Amino acid sequence: MTTPDLLYSEVEEDLRASVRALLADRCPPAAVLARAEGPAPYDGKLWHALARELGAAGLQVPEEHGGAGATLRETAVVLEELGRAAAPTPFLGSAVLATTALLACAGGAELLAELAAGERTAALAVPLAAAPGTGFPWAGLPQTVRADGAGALTGRVAAVADAAAADVLLVPAAGPDGPGLYAVEADAAGLAVAPRTSLDLTRPLADLALHGVPARRLAGPAEAPAAVERALLTGAGLLASEQLGIAEWCLATTTAYLKERRQFGRPVGSFQAVKHRLADLWLEAAGARAAARGAADALARGAEDAPLAVAVAQAYCGDAAVRAAEECVQLHGGIGMTWEHPAHLYLKRAKADQIALGTPGRHRAALAVLADLPAPTG
Amino acid sequence: MTTTAKGTAPAGGTGPAVTAEDVRRRVRALLDAHGTADRTAFLRARFDAGLAWVHFPEGLGGLGAPRGLQAVADAELAAAGAPDNNPRANGIGLGMAAPTLLRFGTPEQQARFLRPLWTGEETWCQLFSEPGAGSDLAALGTRAVLDGDTWTVDGQKVWTSGAHTARWAILVARTDPDAPKHRGITYFVCDMTDPGVEVRPLRQITGEAEFNEVFLTGVRIPDAHRIGEAGDGWRVAQTTLNNERVAIGGQRTPREGGMIGTVAATWRDRPELRTHDLHQRLLHGWVEAEVARLTGERLRQQLAVGQPGPEGAAMKLAFARLAQHLSGLEVELLGEEGLGYGDWTMVRPDHVDFLGRDAGYRYLRAKGNSIEGGTSEILRNIIAERVLGLPAEPRTDKDVPWKELPR
Ligand SMILES: Cc1cc2nc3c(=O)[nH]c(=O)nc-3n(C[C@H](O)[C@H](O)[C@H](O)COP(=O)(O)OP(=O)(O)OC[C@H]3O[C@@H](n4cnc5c(N)ncnc54)[C@H](O)[C@@H]3O)c2cc1C
């Protein structure tokens, strides 16, 4: 077992600083809130700046495919910052899930280059709640899409993240000769993308209905299942970094508020009952950072124990982010309950993220196998 | 070698940086020059070769090398079957006294104490806590009075682990009752063979007596055994306490090292004991243990050099919670067997092993983990105030002369 590198390199810190500066400028909480109920869930200009000017969309893509030739570690740093800002961008859906799936298919080079350059965005047509290891096409889930002999797709996929903003959908479907991964243009005939009212105001979901939609097959039975699994595993592992960013914002914001807010003639943050809760949150955030870095590093190295590192990170960080966001609301008192204060953006993102790509309980169940801690029989 | 002592600047610091290959070469030279049959002689030679704690300065058991290289030396020596210094029998010496001596001791004190401390020829204990001063250590009342070049010490200490085997003690005593409590304390090395030192066992909930009460009556300490300036003992003690927390909770462990490994092994070996409820709790605990391990690893990567800061408090806090949770889980898992207990016979052990003996012992011993080396409540205060910068509780005891404080 190699010891993971759990720190941030200088390059990673520089990248963080650029992303943070961009988000502070373009994506302050008031702007996020204003957009949340508007017609356009994503800020196109912000995405343009992030994906194209900073090159964030192509971080994990090799240079020969038009990317930056960095690794998933850098990609994770971007997600941390996006979590810290509760930023409404299709980064997870396009730059992580769809891009990872494409990287594992020989057939998607052209689209990959477009995504890496931030010229187009894509979404992987799987339910956001799908966990790695779910099987293909998602065993146990009602939604399946079938491809006919001509490659036209019919079926439904519910609750897909970042689909409404996508130019292209990558649809896993059962074809005549087995599973495949298909590319569908967003404006293709027979495709209906119906936005849902989602709990997370900053990551909209949509239901897809396909009726004989023309599609291009990117991968067949030999590649497609592994490509989708790789995308789900990577997505789950890197989501831990987003969850870390959420927890950190909540802790920092709450700590700063309680240093200022006075009741009973002293700062509320000087009361021990409150201090101890913040100390526990700090400890959890430190754990979340180590676990999230561990997962990102294992994925970046292609480590053999990457599935275990991902399961550990997801089993831990999902709950840590929710707890931090819940404490943030509680320890702000009445103001924490208002629509105006951004705390709820983080609470909603944290709660949705806890379900996204597998609940903590599902990841613990995966560990029963990965860490050889078998369940009782009978 | 599991000391967590941290070096200050390497001695001299002029030579080229020591590499892993240098360390391996020195290990081979040590093994070529000295047989390992005479354990003490070998350990002394290892110390003199700078392979005791490689990050200490040359001449004091080290090479002024990066800390990380200690693992190289330890692995090579273990592979060669060389004896170690039985670190568990001298945790206080290695984990707390040594880093404090290194930082605040005079060259004479370092030369006198560090070598036999490291080889285990002289073990150490910690005379800090008193009946009236536990969490509030700075309230301590043991008096030390200087006459000529000798201090005379009178008072009572309590919960002193290993006082019955220790040759030396690190001691904090009140030397200026007129100063506010943090400012009138001085730090000493106390000779445990002094006729004025009386050690009485205190039996613990495990049945054994690992700790003691220690009565100090007219104990004589030469001024040459004062560590740091008179009145500056609180600052010196902070180094000891920060290192203590790392020593208790901050050891590098492999995956499933520590209490989780014991519970997981029982789980795998005994399928008939498994229940669904315990399975869920075990998986929770396994994740927590792995995350705590990674957090510690990350902290060590960050602190490649320098003294442990308040973050050590966090590691100890997590360690205690996990050890208690997991050891309790194991007793429950064992079911009917968990109703038994190995042995309640009162003994005075010469070393402590949190993972030793049976599940019942481990469960009971782990209760001490959230008390010894600073309680979990105090550690949360430290994180809140020193890491998060939250304001302190209003206090009435900080600026008044110690002698005027209510007791
Ligand atoms: C196994 C074991 C080994 C030990 N070995 C040694 C040793 O070798 N040398 C040595 O010097 N000492 C040793 N100790 C002593 C240990 O350091 C003290 O017990 C500890 O610091 C607590 O002090 P106390 O026992 O006086 O409890 P108290 O300080 O009286 O605390 C009682 C309770 O009140 C809580 N409390 C106290 N103050 C606060 C506060 N401000 N805010 C919130 N809660 C508070 C505590 O957390 C605790 O729960 C050992 C203890 C144990 C259990």
Side-chain angles (χ1 to χ4, degrees):
Chain A
M1 192 173 71
T2 337
T3 305
D5 173 2
L6 301 170
L7 302 179
Y8 299 97
S9 69
E10 238 169 87
V11 174
E12 287 164 352
E13 289 295 3
D14 288 349
L15 174 66
R16 177 202 302 290
S18 318
V19 176
R20 192 178 289 188
L22 174 71
L23 293 171
D25 183 38
R26 304 279 184 87
C27 188
V32 178
L33 257 179
R35 183 167 293 280
E37 285 184 295
Y42 295 119
D43 178 347
K45 284 195 198 128
L46 171 66
W47 176 244
H48 187 271
L50 182 73
R52 301 185 73 154
E53 287 161 26
L54 288 184
L59 278 173
Q60 63 153 324
V61 178
E63 281 170 25
E64 66 266 29
H65 291 292
T71 74
L72 290 169
R73 289 175 55 97
E74 290 82 1
T75 316
V77 169
V78 175
L79 270 168
E80 253 179 63
E81 292 307 311
L82 294 173
R84 195 193 300 272
T89 70
F91 190 84
L92 181 71
S94 189
V96 180
L97 291 170
T99 299
T100 307
L102 280 175
L103 276 168
C105 308
E110 197 182 318
L111 180 56
L112 184 61
E114 289 168 353
L115 295 191
E119 287 161 12
R120 306 183 84 196
T121 65
L124 182 65
V126 298
L128 182 59
T134 310
F136 188 99
W138 320 282
L141 291 176
Q143 305 93 342
T144 39
V145 179
R146 310 207 144 267
D148 65 19
L153 306 184
T154 300
R156 294 174 173 279
V157 191
V160 179
D162 300 335
D167 302 308
V168 186
L169 295 163
L170 302 186
V171 185
D177 59 347
L181 186 64
Y182 296 79
V184 171
E185 295 296 318
D187 57 5
L191 170 69
V193 179
R196 282 195 170 199
T197 304
S198 52
L199 173 67
D200 179 358
L201 295 163
T202 56
R203 179 172 284 139
L205 303 175
D207 294 338
L208 309 184
L210 304 96
H211 296 287
V213 180
R216 188 163 56 90
R217 194 171 90 160
L218 302 173
E223 280 180 332
V228 174
E229 174 61 18
R230 175 81 193 155
L232 293 177
L233 184 72
T234 303
L238 295 203
L239 186 65
S241 288
E242 178 174 301
Q243 289 160 331
L244 165 64
I246 296 169
E248 289 193 323
W249 184 89
C250 292
L251 174 62
T253 304
T254 309
T255 304
Y257 179 68
L258 293 176
K259 284 180 190 174
E260 297 300 319
R261 172 72 179 164
R262 296 176 75 89
Q263 290 287 278
F264 302 97
R266 51 194 260 214
V268 174
S270 69
F271 288 98
Q272 195 181 55
V274 168
K275 274 183 179 163
H276 280 192
R277 286 163 69 165
L278 290 172
D280 283 337
L281 281 188
W282 181 82
L283 192 60
E284 274 192 28
R289 190 173 309 112
R293 278 275 95 184
D297 189 70
L299 287 164
R301 279 187 289 121
E304 211 181 309
D305 67 353
L308 185 141
V310 169
V312 166
Q314 269 306 304
Y316 192 86
C317 297
D319 290 344
V322 169
R323 200 147 33 233
E326 290 178 351
E327 288 287 75
C328 179
V329 170
Q330 172 65 21
L331 293 174
H332 275 80
I335 190 83
M337 197 63 199
T338 62
W339 187 267
E340 184 192 349
H341 193 280
H344 68 105
L345 295 174
Y346 292 85
L347 178 66
K348 292 162 186 173
R349 172 69 73 87
K351 197 66 194 166
D353 276 3
Q354 192 185 34
I355 299 166
L357 299 162
T359 59
R362 274 204 80 113
H363 289 282
R364 279 191 294 273
L367 282 171
V369 178
L370 294 167
D372 184 28
L373 299 165
T377 44
Chain B
M1 235 298 300
T2 56
T3 177
T4 52
K6 297 252 177 194
T8 47
T14 44
V18 180
T19 66
E21 195 37 53
D22 297 334
V23 170
R24 283 193 199 95
R25 201 174 318 113
R26 279 173 172 267
V27 169
R28 280 194 298 274
L30 171 71
L31 289 166
D32 288 345
H34 299 271
T36 58
D38 181 343
R39 183 169 173 275
T40 303
F42 177 77
L43 290 173
R44 286 179 185 162
R46 176 172 168 186
F47 184 93
D48 296 339
L51 296 168
W53 29 41
V54 296
H55 54 290
F56 271 44
E58 282 178 49
L60 296 177
L63 300 169
R67 279 171 86 66
L69 293 183
Q70 187 62 45
V72 175
D74 291 348
E76 295 276 314
L77 284 159
D84 73 4
N85 61 344
N86 192 14
R88 272 204 296 259
N90 195 16
I92 290 174
L94 293 163
M96 297 151 64
T100 310
L101 285 166
L102 182 65
R103 177 127 183 237
F104 291 101
T106 62
E108 294 73 30
Q109 290 165 344
Q110 294 170 344
R112 165 62 188 87
F113 292 121
L114 287 173
R115 189 176 188 245
L117 181 160
W118 186 83
T119 61
E121 289 164 83
E122 293 178 348
T123 61
W124 289 64
C125 67
Q126 178 194 21
L127 293 169
F128 278 28
S129 304
E130 298 181 5
S135 298
D136 186 11
L137 178 62
L140 62 90
T142 292
R143 288 281 280 123
V145 178
L146 182 64
D147 181 16
D149 60 1
T150 305
W151 296 83
T152 304
V153 182
D154 288 279
Q156 186 195 340
K157 296 289 178 176
V158 74
W159 324 127
T160 317
S161 306
H164 51 288
T165 55
R167 174 67 183 78
W168 299 101
I170 42 178
L171 164 74
V172 278
R174 173 112 3 236
T175 48
D176 183 358
D178 296 317
K181 64 185 194 178
H182 294 91
R183 275 173 258 157
I185 295 171
T186 303
Y187 197 114
F188 299 98
V189 171
C190 174
D191 183 346
M192 291 298 284
T193 64
D194 186 285
V197 175
E198 188 198 343
V199 178
R200 295 187 201 152
L202 285 172
R203 199 172 179 202
Q204 283 156 242
I205 62 175
T206 54
E208 21 175 82
E210 200 185 282
F211 57 34
N212 305 271
E213 49 187 349
V214 178
F215 296 85
L216 305 167
T217 316
V219 174
R220 319 262 299 160
I221 299 181
D223 192 45
H225 286 181
R226 170 173 47 77
I227 309 292
E229 294 305 313
D232 202 25
W234 183 250
R235 194 165 69 93
V236 183
Q238 292 311 303
T239 294
T240 308
L241 296 174
N242 281 339
N243 277 285
E244 176 170 25
R245 284 155 201 157
V246 179
I248 293 176
Q251 303 295 349
R252 163 177 265 133
T253 50
R255 184 174 289 154
E256 281 200 14
M259 200 70 83
I260 185 62
T262 316
V263 190
T266 306
W267 181 268
R268 289 181 193 120
D269 293 347
R270 306 280 303 273
E272 77 282 5
L273 298 174
R274 297 174 192 161
T275 69
H276 288 287
D277 165 59
L278 287 166
H279 190 228
Q280 290 309 314
R281 287 157 58 197
L282 176 68
L283 289 169
H284 265 280
W286 198 92
V287 169
E288 296 270 336
E290 175 67 0
V291 171
R293 183 184 76 83
L294 290 168
T295 311
E297 181 59 42
R298 182 160 199 280
L299 192 63
R300 264 185 301 276
Q301 292 179 4
Q302 265 176 314
L303 295 179
V305 285
Q307 289 280 326
E311 292 82 5
M315 289 317 301
K316 203 222 142 202
L317 186 59
F319 166 80
R321 192 174 55 198
L322 260 173
Q324 294 176 350
H325 168 69
L326 293 169
S327 59
L329 190 69
E330 193 187 6
V331 173
E332 204 179 327
L333 171 63
L334 288 170
E336 213 169 280
E337 243 169 86
L339 293 173
Y341 188 78
D343 186 1
W344 293 117
T345 308
M346 153 75 182
V347 289
R348 301 177 85 183
D350 63 4
H351 75 280
V352 188
D353 183 357
F354 298 155
L355 302 179
R357 292 184 51 172
D358 54 301
Y361 169 83
R362 291 191 285 275
Y363 171 66
L364 295 174
R365 183 59 187 84
K367 295 292 163 240
N369 293 156
S370 56
I371 302 170
E372 58 200 320
T375 69
S376 290
E377 289 75 20
I378 295 302
L379 298 184
R380 284 193 183 89
N381 288 350
I382 290 175
I383 294 171
E385 290 177 16
R386 296 202 215 144
V387 181
L388 294 175
L390 288 162
E393 299 255 354
R395 287 175 67 166
T396 52
D397 65 337
K398 275 182 96 162
D399 302 313
V400 207
W402 173 81
K403 66 177 184 196
E404 286 168 22
L405 290 173
R407 258 181 293 278

